[in-house]
Amino acid sequence: MAIEILEVLPKNIRELIEKDIPLNQLQEIRLKVNKPLFIYSNNKEKNMNINHLLKQ
């Protein structure tokens, strides 16, 4: 399921998530305009600033 969700994200954001988060523990992705990307994995929250990735 997580891999199917990641396929709709831009490649650079998808690669960032895949590098930092074990996909089998991925629970939730929150993506909002002009806000950090929030990832919930293994009952922990992680935020990533992706603004620099979106301007490419």
Side-chain angles (χ1 to χ4, degrees):
M1 178 80 165
I3 293 173
E4 294 170 356
I5 300 297
L6 291 177
E7 290 176 358
V8 301
L9 296 173
K11 182 180 177 186
N12 50 2
I13 295 174
R14 185 173 58 238
E15 289 173 348
L16 180 68
I17 294 171
E18 289 173 338
K19 181 182 78 168
D20 289 346
I21 306 294
L23 294 182
N24 62 338
Q25 296 176 0
L26 183 62
Q27 295 171 297
E28 184 175 346
I29 299 172
R30 291 188 187 180
L31 179 63
K32 297 180 180 182
V33 176
N34 296 322
K35 301 287 182 184
L37 174 70
F38 285 92
I39 306 286
Y40 296 87
S41 173
N42 199 25
N43 295 319
K44 296 178 183 170
E45 177 183 279
K46 181 174 186 173
N47 63 41
M48 303 174 173
N49 186 351
I50 58 168
N51 288 335
H52 66 285
L53 297 175
L54 299 175
K55 293 179 182 178
Q56 294 181 354

